[in-house]
Amino acid sequence: QKEVEQDPGPLSVPEGAIVSLNCTYSNSAFQYFMWYRQYSRKGPELLMYTYSSGNKEDGRFTAQVDKSSKYISLFIRDSQPSDSATYLCAMSSNTGNQFYFGTGTSLTVIP
Amino acid sequence: DAGVTQSPTHLIKTRGQQVTLRCSPKSGHDTVSWYQQALGQGPQFIFQYYEEEERQRGNFPDRFSGHQFPNYSSELNVNALLLGDSALYLCASSGRTHLYYGYTFGSGTRLTVV
């Protein structure tokens, strides 16, 4: 079983739609949860960072962590064509320096 | 403020050869991590360097080695290249006090082994 599972998609939505991206994980030691956006031929760019359980909002983006279910989500409101990219979830334990990534979900927002 | 710089951008090598990839961290960052990203996959942790020493290593064979210099820049060396080593190699830098959310990635080096 992989440490982190993520549906690779692809996901295609019309402009303005609400997008929901999800990851599940198996390691209960994970405390830090991140979402990265990766455009084609570029490195990942940090979007959201959350420690432990709870919600965090930043503009059109909301990250949720449910440690009891080992499930994290990223919601994108009012999606824009510029949001078209691959979205990677990543997580790490309290003492570890290694990040564990999901496989990424490819998102296309159609104008 | 320059971010993480990686060189070269692209590289083609023959199976069995050796390769060296280079990374300059973001200004103010002293920790460098290397990741391998195969096509259609998420990045996989190779190792992390801090104070010129390997601090943590992922599940990669000894063919993968690294080095960090006093100016915090780093090299990734891969010996006896295999076709399966073809991937995007990402360097990420961070500062000690912002290890988790101060992780900045470079654009990567795309290595093709033929």
Side-chain angles (χ1 to χ4, degrees):
Chain A
Q1 183 184 10
K2 283 186 177 180
E3 297 268 8
V4 181
E5 300 278 358
Q6 182 176 9
D7 186 343
L11 191 59
S12 183
V13 301
E15 183 175 354
I18 296 175
V19 176
S20 172
L21 305 168
N22 311 293
C23 288
T24 59
Y25 63 95
S26 56
N27 189 342
S28 58
F30 288 149
Q31 295 280 349
Y32 298 86
F33 303 92
M34 291 138 288
W35 285 95
Y36 283 84
R37 178 174 61 195
Q38 186 173 25
Y39 292 113
S40 180
R41 302 182 184 279
K42 296 291 186 183
E45 168 194 16
L46 181 66
L47 273 178
M48 300 285 288
Y49 153 78
T50 308
Y51 171 69
S52 195
S53 286
N55 296 353
K56 187 172 184 177
E57 188 173 321
D58 183 3
R60 296 185 295 110
F61 298 89
T62 299
Q64 290 185 351
V65 175
D66 181 350
K67 290 189 68 181
S68 63
S69 301
K70 296 189 176 69
Y71 187 87
I72 71 171
S73 301
L74 177 71
F75 297 95
I76 307 174
R77 291 183 299 279
D78 187 26
S79 55
Q80 302 295 309
S82 59
D83 294 329
S84 299
T86 295
Y87 290 79
L88 296 155
C89 63
M91 43 201 81
S92 182
S93 67
N94 196 29
T95 56
N97 301 315
Q98 176 177 351
F99 281 19
Y100 294 86
F101 283 84
T103 55
T105 299
S106 175
L107 171 67
T108 300
V109 181
I110 303 168
Chain B
D1 179 25
V4 177
T5 304
Q6 291 188 244
S7 63
T9 305
H10 297 86
L11 203 52
I12 299 175
K13 288 287 189 178
T14 302
R15 190 172 47 185
Q17 285 187 317
Q18 179 264 345
V19 68
T20 298
L21 310 181
R22 295 176 176 82
C23 171
S24 293
K26 182 178 178 178
S27 177
H29 285 181
D30 57 8
T31 302
V32 173
S33 303
W34 287 91
Y35 284 79
Q36 180 196 65
Q37 186 176 22
L39 195 62
Q41 300 297 316
Q44 299 289 316
F45 178 77
I46 303 174
F47 41 54
Q48 184 181 86
Y49 276 84
Y50 171 67
E51 291 189 341
E52 301 180 50
E53 291 191 359
E54 183 181 289
R55 180 156 68 176
Q56 191 175 9
R57 186 180 184 91
N59 189 24
F60 278 80
D62 292 343
R63 298 187 298 109
F64 290 78
S65 63
H67 189 77
Q68 186 179 34
F69 299 94
N71 67 353
Y72 308 122
S73 66
S74 177
E75 288 182 350
L76 164 65
N77 300 291
V78 187
N79 294 322
L81 285 166
L82 304 174
L83 296 179
D85 294 332
S86 296
L88 180 68
Y89 287 85
L90 294 163
C91 172
S93 72
S94 56
R96 276 173 292 165
T97 57
H98 301 284
L99 183 64
Y100 294 103
Y101 56 88
Y103 228 53
T104 303
F105 280 91
S107 292
T109 294
R110 185 161 298 282
L111 172 65
T112 302
V113 182
V114 297

